Amino acid sequence: DAGVIQSPRHEVTEMGQEVTLRCKPISGHDYLFWYRQTMMRGLELLIYFNNNVPIDDSGMPEDRFSAKMPNASFSTLKIQPSEPRDSAVYFCASSQGQLGYTFGSGTRLTVV
Amino acid sequence: DQQVKQNSPSLSVQEGRISILNCDYTNSMFDYFLWYKKYPAEGPTFLISISSIKDKNEDGRFTVFLNKSAKHLSLHIVPSQPGDSAVYFCAASGGDSWGKFQFGAGTQVVVTP
């Protein structure tokens, strides 16, 4: 099993541009989570899906952030327009029930 | 609102000694707790878990203790090894936030020779 796969690993973009982060969860996992890690706030849950349906997006900071899960093997997190304060490492994680998450390696986003 | 708190941002310990990492939570509905370890440029990896029906869970060098009345858990690493140098996160879930883990800010552990 390749684990949770995220792409790209690094993204540098200019303020105002659209950014799309991608995630492929582990096959058979029914939960998918998007987290953001910053020095100040640690790991923050942005949104999570159960069986491709968004369950809780209360952690999404603003309307500039959106996430989709069109099928069980793919999810995207989009920021439009991006701002410098969005710079962080974004992690995707998947799980089967409450057995503990498996995290991807993260996408380091830098908005200049 | 930070419901899971790790108040020590860093911890330095000598190789062979015990590392004790602490975590406090505020939500009394939390009933399942995890510890994750994270190396630089990698995603967090699962370390050990405990549910509220137990007060201790042990896995090799790692032991997690849960004090429900104090809403406190701790991770003990004995003996500490250089490869344990990493950031450790505790996470909690339960009640109406089942399946949605809240993470602490992490504790950076440095194990010195």
Side-chain angles (χ1 to χ4, degrees), chain B residues 18-23 25 33 35 48-51 54-58 62-68 71-78:
Chain B
I18 183 171
S19 295
I20 300 177
L21 291 79
N22 294 303
C23 179
Y25 60 96
F33 306 88
W35 283 94
I48 194 169
S49 66
I50 190 167
S51 78
K54 301 175 74 172
D55 54 19
K56 176 183 174 182
N57 189 24
E58 191 172 352
F62 301 91
T63 303
V64 56
F65 296 92
L66 175 62
N67 182 333
K68 290 184 287 293
K71 297 193 186 67
H72 176 83
L73 64 156
S74 61
L75 174 69
H76 292 207
I77 307 173
V78 184

Tab-separated table of all heavy atoms in Angstrom, chain B residues 18-23 25 33 35 48-51 54-58 62-68 71-78:
chain	number	residue	atom	x	y	z
B	18	ILE	N	14.195	8.797	30.679
B	18	ILE	CA	12.768	8.790	30.359
B	18	ILE	C	12.343	10.140	29.789
B	18	ILE	O	12.753	11.194	30.274
B	18	ILE	CB	11.925	8.442	31.608
B	18	ILE	CG1	10.435	8.356	31.269
B	18	ILE	CG2	12.140	9.466	32.712
B	18	ILE	CD1	9.584	7.804	32.403
B	19	SER	N	11.535	10.085	28.744
B	19	SER	CA	10.883	11.285	28.215
B	19	SER	C	9.426	11.238	28.641
B	19	SER	O	8.762	10.207	28.484
B	19	SER	CB	10.938	11.320	26.680
B	19	SER	OG	12.249	11.429	26.207
B	20	ILE	N	8.937	12.332	29.191
B	20	ILE	CA	7.528	12.421	29.597
B	20	ILE	C	6.903	13.613	28.888
B	20	ILE	O	7.317	14.758	29.094
B	20	ILE	CB	7.386	12.571	31.122
B	20	ILE	CG1	8.011	11.367	31.832
B	20	ILE	CG2	5.897	12.704	31.496
B	20	ILE	CD1	7.979	11.453	33.337
B	21	LEU	N	5.923	13.328	28.074
B	21	LEU	CA	5.216	14.367	27.338
B	21	LEU	C	3.801	14.468	27.890
B	21	LEU	O	3.147	13.453	28.112
B	21	LEU	CB	5.159	14.037	25.842
B	21	LEU	CG	6.471	14.105	25.069
B	21	LEU	CD1	7.317	12.861	25.300
B	21	LEU	CD2	6.207	14.294	23.597
B	22	ASN	N	3.344	15.681	28.072
B	22	ASN	CA	2.042	15.905	28.692
B	22	ASN	C	1.043	16.523	27.731
B	22	ASN	O	1.415	17.247	26.805
B	22	ASN	CB	2.191	16.806	29.916
B	22	ASN	CG	2.981	16.144	31.008
B	22	ASN	OD1	2.628	15.051	31.470
B	22	ASN	ND2	4.066	16.774	31.435
B	23	CYS	N	-0.213	16.227	27.995
B	23	CYS	CA	-1.291	16.721	27.143
B	23	CYS	C	-2.532	16.907	28.016
B	23	CYS	O	-2.870	16.012	28.810
B	23	CYS	CB	-1.550	15.708	26.024
B	23	CYS	SG	-2.878	16.140	24.888
B	25	TYR	N	-6.734	18.215	28.051
B	25	TYR	CA	-7.887	18.478	27.199
B	25	TYR	C	-9.022	19.065	28.032
B	25	TYR	O	-9.052	18.930	29.257
B	25	TYR	CB	-8.333	17.207	26.464
B	25	TYR	CG	-8.740	16.050	27.352
B	25	TYR	CD1	-10.081	15.822	27.663
B	25	TYR	CD2	-7.776	15.165	27.856
B	25	TYR	CE1	-10.448	14.759	28.468
B	25	TYR	CE2	-8.147	14.104	28.650
B	25	TYR	CZ	-9.477	13.899	28.946
B	25	TYR	OH	-9.845	12.844	29.752
B	33	PHE	N	-7.955	8.724	22.454
B	33	PHE	CA	-6.790	9.596	22.387
B	33	PHE	C	-5.664	8.905	21.623
B	33	PHE	O	-5.473	7.691	21.735
B	33	PHE	CB	-6.311	9.945	23.803
B	33	PHE	CG	-7.386	10.523	24.670
B	33	PHE	CD1	-8.216	9.688	25.410
B	33	PHE	CD2	-7.591	11.897	24.737
B	33	PHE	CE1	-9.235	10.210	26.206
B	33	PHE	CE2	-8.601	12.430	25.529
B	33	PHE	CZ	-9.426	11.589	26.261
B	35	TRP	N	-1.472	9.401	20.098
B	35	TRP	CA	-0.207	10.125	20.016
B	35	TRP	C	0.397	9.856	18.639
B	35	TRP	O	0.418	8.714	18.166
B	35	TRP	CB	0.769	9.672	21.087
B	35	TRP	CG	0.478	10.227	22.450
B	35	TRP	CD1	-0.255	9.645	23.432
B	35	TRP	CD2	0.933	11.487	22.978
B	35	TRP	NE1	-0.304	10.451	24.536
B	35	TRP	CE2	0.416	11.585	24.292
B	35	TRP	CE3	1.708	12.531	22.481
B	35	TRP	CZ2	0.668	12.685	25.111
B	35	TRP	CZ3	1.953	13.619	23.284
B	35	TRP	CH2	1.434	13.693	24.591
B	48	ILE	N	0.659	5.490	19.347
B	48	ILE	CA	-0.045	4.708	20.354
B	48	ILE	C	-1.379	5.371	20.643
B	48	ILE	O	-1.532	6.575	20.454
B	48	ILE	CB	0.805	4.582	21.644
B	48	ILE	CG1	0.254	3.504	22.587
B	48	ILE	CG2	0.956	5.924	22.350
B	48	ILE	CD1	1.214	3.161	23.728
B	49	SER	N	-2.342	4.585	21.087
B	49	SER	CA	-3.669	5.124	21.392
B	49	SER	C	-4.136	4.634	22.754
B	49	SER	O	-3.567	3.701	23.339
B	49	SER	CB	-4.676	4.687	20.325
B	49	SER	OG	-4.865	3.269	20.372
B	50	ILE	N	-5.173	5.268	23.258
B	50	ILE	CA	-5.810	4.818	24.481
B	50	ILE	C	-7.266	5.253	24.462
B	50	ILE	O	-7.577	6.356	23.992
B	50	ILE	CB	-5.075	5.355	25.741
B	50	ILE	CG1	-5.621	4.676	27.005
B	50	ILE	CG2	-5.179	6.875	25.834
B	50	ILE	CD1	-4.748	4.920	28.241
B	51	SER	N	-8.145	4.385	24.929
B	51	SER	CA	-9.545	4.768	25.053
B	51	SER	C	-9.851	5.013	26.519
B	51	SER	O	-9.101	4.595	27.410
B	51	SER	CB	-10.462	3.686	24.489
B	51	SER	OG	-10.587	2.621	25.405
B	54	LYS	N	-9.670	2.643	29.656
B	54	LYS	CA	-8.408	2.222	30.246
B	54	LYS	C	-7.695	3.442	30.817
B	54	LYS	O	-7.987	4.578	30.440
B	54	LYS	CB	-7.527	1.556	29.186
B	54	LYS	CG	-8.163	0.343	28.537
B	54	LYS	CD	-7.299	-0.202	27.414
B	54	LYS	CE	-6.090	-0.930	27.932
B	54	LYS	NZ	-5.342	-1.631	26.853
B	55	ASP	N	-6.756	3.195	31.702
B	55	ASP	CA	-5.950	4.310	32.181
B	55	ASP	C	-4.476	4.154	31.806
B	55	ASP	O	-3.662	5.026	32.116
B	55	ASP	CB	-6.103	4.494	33.692
B	55	ASP	CG	-5.813	3.212	34.472
B	55	ASP	OD1	-5.158	2.318	33.904
B	55	ASP	OD2	-6.250	3.118	35.633
B	56	LYS	N	-4.178	3.074	31.109
B	56	LYS	CA	-2.789	2.860	30.696
B	56	LYS	C	-2.774	1.946	29.480
B	56	LYS	O	-3.545	0.984	29.401
B	56	LYS	CB	-2.016	2.216	31.853
B	56	LYS	CG	-0.572	1.845	31.541
B	56	LYS	CD	0.055	1.159	32.749
B	56	LYS	CE	1.452	0.641	32.445
B	56	LYS	NZ	2.041	-0.067	33.615
B	57	ASN	N	-1.882	2.266	28.566
B	57	ASN	CA	-1.656	1.388	27.419
B	57	ASN	C	-0.170	1.405	27.108
B	57	ASN	O	0.446	2.468	27.066
B	57	ASN	CB	-2.465	1.854	26.200
B	57	ASN	CG	-2.419	0.838	25.079
B	57	ASN	OD1	-2.189	-0.357	25.308
B	57	ASN	ND2	-2.633	1.285	23.856
B	58	GLU	N	0.364	0.239	26.912
B	58	GLU	CA	1.808	0.112	26.750
B	58	GLU	C	2.127	-0.587	25.437
B	58	GLU	O	1.480	-1.566	25.053
B	58	GLU	CB	2.362	-0.701	27.934
B	58	GLU	CG	3.848	-0.711	28.077
B	58	GLU	CD	4.273	-1.368	29.390
B	58	GLU	OE1	3.394	-1.656	30.229
B	58	GLU	OE2	5.472	-1.602	29.560
B	62	PHE	N	6.963	2.659	24.692
B	62	PHE	CA	5.989	3.749	24.790
B	62	PHE	C	4.810	3.338	25.675
B	62	PHE	O	4.233	2.274	25.496
B	62	PHE	CB	5.466	4.122	23.403
B	62	PHE	CG	6.554	4.557	22.450
B	62	PHE	CD1	7.199	3.633	21.635
B	62	PHE	CD2	6.961	5.881	22.402
B	62	PHE	CE1	8.215	4.028	20.771
B	62	PHE	CE2	7.972	6.284	21.543
B	62	PHE	CZ	8.601	5.354	20.728
B	63	THR	N	4.488	4.216	26.628
B	63	THR	CA	3.339	3.998	27.505
B	63	THR	C	2.537	5.284	27.574
B	63	THR	O	3.119	6.360	27.773
B	63	THR	CB	3.778	3.596	28.924
B	63	THR	OG1	4.594	2.423	28.851
B	63	THR	CG2	2.560	3.299	29.802
B	64	VAL	N	1.241	5.156	27.394
B	64	VAL	CA	0.373	6.315	27.539
B	64	VAL	C	-0.484	6.120	28.778
B	64	VAL	O	-1.012	5.036	29.012
B	64	VAL	CB	-0.485	6.553	26.279
B	64	VAL	CG1	-1.320	5.348	25.904
B	64	VAL	CG2	-1.364	7.778	26.443
B	65	PHE	N	-0.577	7.160	29.578
B	65	PHE	CA	-1.383	7.160	30.795
B	65	PHE	C	-2.516	8.168	30.630
B	65	PHE	O	-2.304	9.264	30.103
B	65	PHE	CB	-0.529	7.567	32.010
B	65	PHE	CG	0.569	6.613	32.329
B	65	PHE	CD1	1.839	6.782	31.786
B	65	PHE	CD2	0.343	5.542	33.190
B	65	PHE	CE1	2.866	5.902	32.089
B	65	PHE	CE2	1.371	4.664	33.499
B	65	PHE	CZ	2.632	4.833	32.946
B	66	LEU	N	-3.693	7.784	31.083
B	66	LEU	CA	-4.857	8.663	30.990
B	66	LEU	C	-5.437	8.890	32.385
B	66	LEU	O	-5.763	7.930	33.090
B	66	LEU	CB	-5.911	8.058	30.075
B	66	LEU	CG	-7.239	8.807	29.961
B	66	LEU	CD1	-7.021	10.204	29.381
B	66	LEU	CD2	-8.227	8.029	29.106
B	67	ASN	N	-5.585	10.144	32.759
B	67	ASN	CA	-6.236	10.522	34.007
B	67	ASN	C	-7.495	11.298	33.633
B	67	ASN	O	-7.439	12.495	33.356
B	67	ASN	CB	-5.292	11.378	34.855
B	67	ASN	CG	-5.887	11.763	36.190
B	67	ASN	OD1	-7.106	11.850	36.344
B	67	ASN	ND2	-5.039	11.987	37.168
B	68	LYS	N	-8.612	10.587	33.630
B	68	LYS	CA	-9.855	11.199	33.140
B	68	LYS	C	-10.332	12.327	34.047
B	68	LYS	O	-10.850	13.338	33.566
B	68	LYS	CB	-10.940	10.140	32.999
B	68	LYS	CG	-10.674	9.154	31.857
B	68	LYS	CD	-11.804	8.174	31.679
B	68	LYS	CE	-11.853	7.143	32.776
B	68	LYS	NZ	-10.683	6.231	32.727
B	71	LYS	N	-8.435	15.222	33.224
B	71	LYS	CA	-8.422	15.484	31.776
B	71	LYS	C	-6.975	15.662	31.300
B	71	LYS	O	-6.611	16.667	30.673
B	71	LYS	CB	-9.259	16.700	31.423
B	71	LYS	CG	-10.738	16.576	31.736
B	71	LYS	CD	-11.523	17.698	31.064
B	71	LYS	CE	-12.974	17.687	31.461
B	71	LYS	NZ	-13.198	18.010	32.896
B	72	HIS	N	-6.204	14.661	31.603
B	72	HIS	CA	-4.768	14.743	31.341
B	72	HIS	C	-4.268	13.396	30.847
B	72	HIS	O	-4.659	12.344	31.361
B	72	HIS	CB	-4.039	15.126	32.635
B	72	HIS	CG	-2.555	15.155	32.502
B	72	HIS	ND1	-1.870	16.248	32.002
B	72	HIS	CD2	-1.612	14.225	32.793
B	72	HIS	CE1	-0.578	15.974	31.983
B	72	HIS	NE2	-0.389	14.767	32.463
B	73	LEU	N	-3.432	13.447	29.835
B	73	LEU	CA	-2.741	12.226	29.435
B	73	LEU	C	-1.267	12.527	29.246
B	73	LEU	O	-0.869	13.690	29.046
B	73	LEU	CB	-3.346	11.582	28.189
B	73	LEU	CG	-3.344	12.279	26.848
B	73	LEU	CD1	-3.437	11.256	25.732
B	73	LEU	CD2	-4.539	13.201	26.738
B	74	SER	N	-0.488	11.470	29.369
B	74	SER	CA	0.950	11.636	29.207
B	74	SER	C	1.510	10.460	28.422
B	74	SER	O	0.948	9.362	28.439
B	74	SER	CB	1.641	11.767	30.568
B	74	SER	OG	1.440	10.604	31.349
B	75	LEU	N	2.595	10.723	27.754
B	75	LEU	CA	3.309	9.708	27.000
B	75	LEU	C	4.687	9.563	27.615
B	75	LEU	O	5.402	10.552	27.770
B	75	LEU	CB	3.428	10.112	25.525
B	75	LEU	CG	4.270	9.205	24.638
B	75	LEU	CD1	3.586	7.858	24.449
B	75	LEU	CD2	4.535	9.860	23.286
B	76	HIS	N	5.024	8.331	27.980
B	76	HIS	CA	6.337	8.045	28.533
B	76	HIS	C	7.134	7.245	27.511
B	76	HIS	O	6.619	6.243	26.964
B	76	HIS	CB	6.218	7.239	29.828
B	76	HIS	CG	5.615	8.024	30.954
B	76	HIS	ND1	5.897	7.727	32.279
B	76	HIS	CD2	4.792	9.086	30.982
B	76	HIS	CE1	5.248	8.572	33.065
B	76	HIS	NE2	4.556	9.400	32.282
B	77	ILE	N	8.362	7.647	27.299
B	77	ILE	CA	9.254	6.924	26.402
B	77	ILE	C	10.457	6.486	27.231
B	77	ILE	O	11.198	7.328	27.757
B	77	ILE	CB	9.722	7.809	25.229
B	77	ILE	CG1	8.523	8.435	24.512
B	77	ILE	CG2	10.547	6.981	24.239
B	77	ILE	CD1	8.925	9.469	23.445
B	78	VAL	N	10.599	5.169	27.368
B	78	VAL	CA	11.683	4.640	28.191
B	78	VAL	C	12.301	3.406	27.517
B	78	VAL	O	11.554	2.447	27.257
B	78	VAL	CB	11.188	4.233	29.602
B	78	VAL	CG1	12.352	3.771	30.476
B	78	VAL	CG2	10.436	5.358	30.271
